[in-house]
């Protein structure tokens, strides 16, 4: 069984959504289903994947706007994960009012993350690291098997997440990066919610917000 992932750049805000799947069992999950998620659905169908779970890194609307579409298209999705620290943000529309002048409503996730729990896709294990600062409930999903971390808007290539939105806190974000991201192995690939991938070693050395 080999675990792999595919990146989809979706919607007007150019979000990175990630599809992680086992190329033998065909089990799959989506991380941060963004706006205009039709390419994800097409890939799932074309490759005979079984979409079982959705991991959401945080409660800003652009990272979960595509969820209702996927839930409607794939009844096989049984679990949607979010940290409880962002449940209020989610239920208040995920900050969409700041961008569009209107809010959105999406059904609540059915699994709120519990500190220390292990997440799975079939026989594959993931962990999450609570990393607040961009939002109160931001998390990083880590796969030792893939040697990568899906970091949402916590950190970017040579940059960091915004802290001028609701629940943003610069000092808290920098502490989260130092203790939740930079404590991963240095060769860990960092897969952000926007922009290109990077690594722990690269950001430790060259991120101007942290060096």
């Amino acid at each position: 069984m080999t675990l792999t992932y595919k990146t989809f750049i979706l919607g007007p805000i150019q979000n990175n959504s990630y599809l992680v799947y086992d190329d033998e069992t065909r089990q799959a999950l989506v991380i941060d289903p963004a706006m205009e998620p039709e390419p994800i659905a097409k890939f799932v169908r074309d490759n005979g994947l079984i979409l079982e779970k959705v991991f959401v890194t945080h409660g800003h609307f652009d990272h979960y706007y595509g969820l209702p579409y996927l839930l409607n298209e794939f009844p096989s999705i049984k679990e949607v994960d979010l940290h409880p620290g962002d449940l209020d943000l989610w239920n208040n529309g995920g900050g969409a009012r700041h961008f569009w002048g209107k809010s959105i409503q999406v059904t609540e996730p059915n699994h709120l993350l519990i500190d220390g729990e292990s997440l799975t896709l079939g026989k594959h294990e993931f962990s999450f690291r609570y990393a607040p600062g961009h939002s109160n409930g931001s998390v990083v999903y880590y796969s030792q098997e893939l040697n990568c971390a899906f970091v949402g808007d916590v950190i970017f290539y040579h940059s960091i997440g915004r802290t001028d939105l609701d629940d943003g806190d610069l000092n808290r974000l920098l502490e989260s990066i130092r203790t939740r991201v930079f404590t991963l192995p240095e060769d860990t690939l960092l897969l952000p919610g926007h922009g290109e991938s990077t690594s722990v070693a690269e950001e430790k050395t060259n991120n101007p917000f942290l060096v």
Side-chain angles (χ1 to χ4, degrees), residues 113-159:
L113 298 169
I114 301 170
D115 288 346
E117 75 175 308
S118 179
L119 307 173
T120 61
L121 178 68
K123 295 184 178 180
H124 306 283
E125 290 192 359
F126 300 79
S127 60
F128 76 90
R129 295 178 167 216
Y130 180 45
H134 174 65
S135 70
N136 189 50
S138 290
V139 299
V140 169
Y141 293 100
Y142 174 61
S143 169
Q144 184 176 10
E145 182 177 352
L146 288 172
N147 192 37
C148 71
F150 301 91
V151 296
D153 289 359
V154 171
I155 188 169
F156 303 111
Y157 174 74
H158 293 183
S159 188

Side-chain angles (χ1 to χ4, degrees), residues 75-135:
S76 54
I77 299 174
K78 303 302 183 186
E79 180 178 312
V80 178
D81 294 359
L82 179 77
H83 192 278
D86 268 4
L87 188 57
D88 286 345
L89 175 62
W90 177 294
N91 286 332
N92 287 328
R97 188 173 299 278
H98 293 294
F99 291 87
W100 293 337
K102 62 180 181 180
S103 192
I104 62 171
Q105 293 297 320
V106 176
T107 301
E108 285 187 8
N110 63 5
H111 180 80
L112 297 180
L113 298 169
I114 301 170
D115 288 346
E117 75 175 308
S118 179
L119 307 173
T120 61
L121 178 68
K123 295 184 178 180
H124 306 283
E125 290 192 359
F126 300 79
S127 60
F128 76 90
R129 295 178 167 216
Y130 180 45
H134 174 65
S135 70

Side-chain angles (χ1 to χ4, degrees), residues 28-29 50-55 67 70-71 74-81 108-111 121:
L29 63 83
I50 305 164
L51 191 54
E52 296 184 350
K53 298 184 179 184
V54 175
F55 292 171
L67 178 62
L70 293 181
L71 289 174
F74 301 103
S76 54
I77 299 174
K78 303 302 183 186
E79 180 178 312
V80 178
D81 294 359
E108 285 187 8
N110 63 5
H111 180 80
L121 178 68

